[in-house]
Amino acid sequence: MKRLRIQIKSITNLALILALVAVLFTACKSSSSSSGNSEMDAFIDSLMNEMTVEEKAGQLTLYTSGWDVTGPVLRDDYMDELRAGRAGNLFNAHTVDYATNLQRIAVEETRLGIPLLFGLDVIHGYKTTFPIPLAEAASWDMDIIEKSAHLAAKEAASAGVNWTYNPMVDIARDPRWGRIAEGSGEDPYLGGLIGAAKVRGIQGTDLSDPTTILACVKHFAAYGASQAGRDYHTVDMSDRELRQNYLPPYKAALDAGATTVMTSFNEVDGVPASGNKYLMTEILRNEWGFDGFVVTDYTSINEMVPHGAVANLKEAAELAFNAGVQMDMQGGVYSQYIPELIEEGKIKESDLNDYVRQVLEMKYKLGLFEDPYRYLNKEREQSTLYAQELMDHSLLAGKESIVLLKNEPAGKNSENLLPLSKNTRSVALIGPLADNQKDMLGTWHVAGDESKVVTLLEGIKQTAPNVRINYARGAGFNGNDKSGFAEAIAAARRSDVVVMAIGEDYTQSGEAASRTEIGLPGPQQELIEAIHALGKPVVAVVMAGRPLTINWIDENIPAVMNAWHLGTMSGKAIAETLFGDHNPGGKLTITFPKNVGQIPVYYNMKNTGRPFDANNKYTSKYLDVSNEPLYPFGYGLSYTTFEYSNLNLSSNELSAEGSITVNVTVKNTGKYQGKEVVQLYIRDLVGSVTRPVKELKGFEKISLAPGESKQVSFTITNKDLEFYTRDMTFKSEPGDFKVFVGTNSVETLEADFVLK
């Protein structure tokens, strides 16, 4: 039986301890198969019987810690709330020394000694940072993604963190939205697989293991559909669109075992998410059976007042509570108003008890009642931070996340420009991301240490030590300062090849970083045009947290590599790819538009009644640009080439209980070992409601040697064809279908089958 800790602070606690002894004695006599839950239930029942309404409200309250030049600090008023038992959880409180002191106050100085949860936004690493989520999604490698989540959780846990606000599974189709960097792109099927992989990595198989922490699925729901790509903005969509395209990744992450959920800032159907009973109770609890707890995003209960859904904070607390939201992040409205709302009968004490129980159960499952300091081990912290295992994985994940967008010969050369030869005499390395540690970390790097980052300049020195590097920053990310152009042009003139390290700084994507123009910021576009005019071979290495509109670069630069923000080992990952130690195999999970006027543009759109016809003006198209994006979903090149052939189906008919096997042959027709993501799409040609032109239903990442062929097989069942029909029933409908297999969502082979 587990040893359960609780502090005796008063005579009332003596009665509590005696009651606990009795229930634990009874629990010991129960069968081993049920003793865990009965012990937990008995313990929590006894604890809650001693709690005041104010203390219960405290367990539903989450406050933030701050950070000063001397390190982490907690506001005096929050410290008072903590000692009074009115703050049961903290976030941004990390490092073992700091968190140990706060946990000591909670378990030794409060009346009931209930331990704290410590939360942190461990989005793509704690101290050691991995590629931003949108980048890592481009690996299409669930093992890498799961391991990144596991290692990030392990490192954060060593510093006292036991809860993270990850994964973000918001489907996003508008690259103007800065938070697109935090998610997995535009596809609900792939997004669900990635969300589930991250939950498995974060939580492991045993929450009491101090190397695992609680996952939190966010932002529920549909935050990625913010109008105009503007953060915190309105979302307006049909229930069909919500259920078909936006909810599936949340459900997949919860099915993988996620224990907590975070509300979103947006409204859905006119009601802010943090007060939306349809989302939080009808769907999340009643339909999906979620039994963890829901936490708001930062002050989002308070923000229902400016939304116009409530008149004041007391009404906001009431609306959120009755909608089914368990925990208030930072707003303080639950702590302030729950006792009053209980007394007035506007919320039920039985609901309050249920909510508190859900929070206490998570603390119990983490083992915090057994040992409140289990996450607070100084030796483990010191041995885990920046461990070689983490640094090695950061490098691997970085390389697998890189997407090669273009690779053609430069000038009269017959060979593609990339990979560069290590015998190249000189390389001009130009741009604001060439020798830049902080911005390589990307958005939401939280505790990431820029001093540990390998820059691209350093990475090239390590990878190709015999190459002379002529470095010049050239330009910045803002304003119009061109004073560095002359130095950059001079560096390019005395070099054999130019590598342009261009893109966004870490503040230009992420939360509160929406942009109406998503080209290269600052004078970078003018800089690359000036370098191109010299006639030198140029490689553009674009690093950003979102798709950029790089039409001119695609038209004029022979080699283009999208390297995102790759984290601690960025420079080495990029350098090894530039010089051929690694063959890029990443594929986009978000469509790149030609310009912002095409937005939203995504691969699984509907067809319209007047599909594009170049010879007919009165069809769905633009006058000034084609409908096609710059780079489609699933796109990504390699230093080798792949040939697809022999697409065949085991049958051209599918029954409701049967399956069809789809076979295709993929051959490496180039001269490099390479990885290819083989992608399967389907199209339902006729439905009771209109269906997308393509839907991703499967993929396999394979590795082939030069000249090697492999038959790749997929299985299609009736389940793959289900959707929300005209009457909102989720099912398939008999009829004609197409199946597509290829290297991306556009370049495919196709076949037909019928669902009987």
Side-chain angles (χ1 to χ4, degrees):
M1 184 181 66
K2 293 181 178 179
R3 175 174 60 90
L4 301 177
R5 295 178 51 134
I6 192 158
Q7 306 297 316
I8 301 177
K9 300 300 177 191
S10 66
I11 192 66
T12 59
N13 269 12
L14 178 59
L16 175 60
I17 294 299
L18 293 174
L20 283 174
V21 170
V23 298
L24 293 181
F25 177 76
T26 302
C28 286
K29 300 191 327 183
S30 64
S31 67
S32 59
S33 62
S34 62
S35 63
N37 285 337
S38 63
E39 180 182 300
M40 177 180 70
D41 292 342
F43 174 77
I44 292 175
D45 285 343
S46 296
L47 180 55
M48 289 181 60
N49 285 340
E50 293 298 314
M51 296 175 72
T52 65
V53 169
E54 289 76 13
E55 287 167 333
K56 290 176 182 177
Q59 290 301 305
L60 308 185
T61 297
L62 173 65
Y63 287 129
T64 183
S65 174
W67 201 270
D68 204 347
V69 291
T70 58
V73 292
L74 192 66
R75 282 171 33 178
D76 290 343
D77 54 337
Y78 291 168
M79 192 68 81
D80 293 340
E81 291 286 284
L82 172 58
R83 286 193 166 96
R86 294 193 298 267
N89 318 277
L90 295 171
F91 71 108
N92 291 340
H94 54 101
T95 73
V96 165
D97 289 341
Y98 180 59
T100 297
N101 183 54
L102 294 172
Q103 192 72 294
R104 181 193 58 76
I105 292 171
V107 299
E108 297 182 18
E109 296 185 27
T110 65
R111 189 177 76 90
L112 296 177
I114 300 173
L116 297 167
L117 278 179
F118 291 108
L120 188 68
D121 284 286
V122 186
I123 305 303
H124 56 108
Y126 174 59
K127 287 287 190 180
T128 310
T129 57
F130 305 116
I132 61 168
L134 185 60
E136 199 167 62
S139 73
W140 294 60
D141 191 318
M142 298 307 114
D143 291 337
I144 284 178
I145 291 168
E146 182 174 337
K147 188 170 182 180
S148 292
H150 166 67
L151 291 175
K154 180 180 179 181
E155 191 179 36
S158 78
V161 176
N162 46 43
W163 181 25
T164 182
Y165 311 119
N166 190 19
M168 189 192 102
V169 295
D170 301 323
I171 294 302
R173 295 165 169 174
D174 191 334
R176 295 174 299 178
W177 188 54
R179 298 196 79 165
I180 200 169
E182 292 178 53
S184 301
E186 67 191 47
D187 183 70
Y189 170 78
L190 181 59
L193 293 177
I194 292 173
K198 290 186 176 185
V199 169
R200 292 192 302 269
I202 293 166
Q203 294 191 168
T205 58
D206 181 4
L207 287 176
S208 67
D209 179 347
T211 67
T212 66
I213 60 181
L214 301 179
C216 185
V217 179
K218 65 183 189 184
H219 306 83
F220 195 66
Y223 190 29
S226 295
Q227 288 182 355
R230 201 170 81 222
D231 219 352
Y232 317 118
H233 200 15
T234 298
V235 166
D236 188 17
M237 65 175 63
S238 67
D239 197 50
R240 184 185 313 282
E241 179 72 2
L242 177 70
R243 289 178 175 273
Q244 189 73 50
N245 290 312
Y246 287 87
L247 292 186
Y250 304 105
K251 180 64 161 57
L254 293 174
D255 288 345
T259 47
T260 69
V261 170
M262 181 182 289
T263 67
S264 53
F265 286 117
N266 56 279
E267 63 178 64
V268 173
D269 195 26
V271 181
S274 291
N276 197 309
K277 190 171 185 177
Y278 177 62
L279 291 177
M280 302 304 157
T281 296
E282 293 180 31
I283 293 177
L284 189 61
R285 300 282 179 189
N286 298 343
E287 291 186 30
W288 294 356
F290 176 65
D291 62 357
F293 70 82
V294 176
V295 62
T296 71
D297 209 336
Y298 196 100
T299 67
S300 66
I301 296 180
N302 312 59
E303 291 164 25
M304 290 195 291
V305 176
H307 263 290
V310 290
N312 52 55
L313 292 180
K314 182 178 177 181
E315 288 184 10
E318 178 185 349
L319 183 62
F321 189 96
N322 288 330
V325 173
Q326 280 71 49
M327 190 178 291
D328 170 15
M329 180 190 284
Q330 188 57 22
V333 293
Y334 273 10
S335 180
Q336 182 175 357
Y337 292 110
I338 279 178
E340 189 176 336
L341 291 168
I342 289 283
E343 187 175 338
E344 294 173 358
K346 292 180 178 177
I347 62 175
K348 298 177 181 177
E349 189 161 8
S350 60
D351 288 339
L352 175 62
N353 291 336
D354 288 342
Y355 291 5
V356 174
R357 174 177 294 278
Q358 287 154 3
V359 174
L360 294 178
E361 283 181 358
M362 288 303 111
K363 294 183 177 184
Y364 187 99
K365 290 175 180 178
L366 286 170
L368 295 177
F369 286 109
E370 180 183 16
D371 178 8
Y373 303 101
R374 67 188 305 116
Y375 285 86
L376 301 166
N377 183 306
K378 190 69 175 176
E379 291 181 3
R380 184 167 66 230
E381 180 182 38
Q382 292 174 341
S383 65
T384 303
L385 299 183
Y386 301 111
Q388 193 61 49
E389 179 186 24
L390 280 77
M391 301 294 271
D392 290 346
H393 186 73
S394 179
L395 175 60
L396 172 64
K399 290 189 290 189
E400 294 294 329
S401 301
I402 292 170
V403 183
L404 183 62
L405 299 177
K406 183 181 179 183
N407 191 23
E408 295 179 354
K412 298 179 181 179
N413 296 329
S414 59
E415 294 287 324
N416 290 339
L417 182 52
L418 292 176
L420 299 176
S421 170
K422 292 182 182 180
N423 294 321
T424 303
R425 290 176 302 175
S426 59
V427 169
L429 180 59
I430 297 170
L433 285 153
D435 189 27
N436 182 326
Q437 291 183 298
K438 189 167 189 175
D439 292 314
M440 304 286 258
L441 291 172
T443 182
W444 275 119
H445 57 260
V446 191
D449 184 350
E450 64 186 270
S451 71
K452 302 285 188 181
V453 173
V454 179
T455 69
L456 181 51
L457 176 60
E458 181 58 33
I460 293 176
K461 288 178 180 178
Q462 294 176 12
T463 305
N466 295 325
V467 174
R468 186 175 77 251
I469 303 171
N470 298 312
Y471 162 70
R473 186 169 187 269
F477 300 101
N478 296 288
N480 197 36
D481 183 1
K482 302 175 189 175
S483 59
F485 278 30
E487 182 186 9
I489 290 170
R493 280 183 170 145
R494 61 179 187 269
S495 303
D496 296 318
V497 64
V498 180
V499 174
M500 298 293 300
I502 51 180
E504 296 181 318
D505 69 25
Y506 84 94
T507 69
Q508 290 172 324
S509 55
E511 184 172 357
S514 298
R515 295 174 55 200
T516 61
E517 295 293 338
I518 54 173
L520 293 171
Q524 294 180 85
Q525 181 64 41
E526 294 172 83
L527 175 62
I528 194 170
E529 289 181 18
I531 298 299
H532 170 261
L534 301 175
K536 296 281 185 175
V538 178
V539 180
V541 179
V542 182
M543 297 174 237
R546 54 156 57 86
L548 298 182
T549 50
I550 51 173
N551 219 39
W552 184 93
I553 290 175
D554 179 72
E555 291 175 356
N556 293 279
I557 303 301
V560 185
M561 182 182 291
N562 201 77
W564 315 99
H565 291 140
L566 299 179
T568 304
M569 297 300 289
S570 289
K572 191 166 178 59
I574 298 167
E576 289 189 5
T577 306
L578 283 172
F579 285 92
D581 291 348
H582 170 73
N583 186 357
K587 302 276 189 175
L588 299 177
T589 63
I590 184 72
T591 301
F592 274 49
K594 287 191 169 102
N595 59 40
V596 292
Q598 287 185 315
I599 297 169
V601 56
Y602 47 95
Y603 87 93
N604 53 346
M605 299 184 88
K606 302 290 187 71
N607 201 33
T608 87
R610 293 191 179 189
F612 171 77
D613 180 349
N615 298 315
N616 184 349
K617 176 180 179 180
Y618 298 99
T619 57
S620 184
K621 61 178 182 292
Y622 301 103
L623 291 176
D624 57 341
V625 71
S626 68
N627 288 6
E628 290 74 30
L630 183 59
Y631 306 114
F633 177 88
Y635 177 84
L637 303 177
S638 169
Y639 292 153
T640 195
T641 52
F642 298 98
E643 178 184 82
Y644 285 69
S645 63
N646 302 323
L647 176 65
N648 64 80
L649 310 183
S650 61
S651 173
N652 294 112
E653 292 186 357
L654 175 64
S655 66
E657 296 79 26
S659 64
I660 290 176
T661 301
V662 180
N663 297 307
V664 68
T665 300
V666 183
K667 182 178 181 180
N668 183 339
T669 55
K671 59 183 182 180
Y672 297 93
Q673 176 94 19
K675 294 179 180 178
E676 171 72 344
V677 180
V678 184
Q679 301 161 43
L680 171 78
Y681 301 85
I682 63 103
R683 180 177 181 184
D684 186 348
L685 295 179
V686 178
S688 59
V689 295
T690 56
R691 307 292 294 121
V693 295
K694 280 191 180 81
E695 294 178 280
L696 181 70
K697 292 296 180 178
F699 61 90
E700 184 175 343
K701 191 172 185 178
I702 62 174
S703 180
L704 297 175
E708 183 182 3
S709 296
K710 181 177 181 179
Q711 180 175 279
V712 180
S713 299
F714 300 97
T715 300
I716 297 176
T717 68
N718 182 62
K719 184 175 177 61
D720 297 311
L721 311 179
E722 294 175 334
F723 66 102
Y724 286 94
T725 60
R726 190 174 299 175
D727 64 359
M728 288 302 291
T729 301
F730 190 69
K731 64 181 181 180
S732 63
E733 294 177 338
D736 295 329
F737 290 79
K738 283 189 177 294
V739 58
F740 309 87
V741 180
T743 185
N744 58 58
S745 60
V746 173
E747 299 175 86
T748 60
L749 304 176
E750 64 180 80
D752 303 283
F753 69 93
V754 176
L755 175 64
K756 293 295 188 178

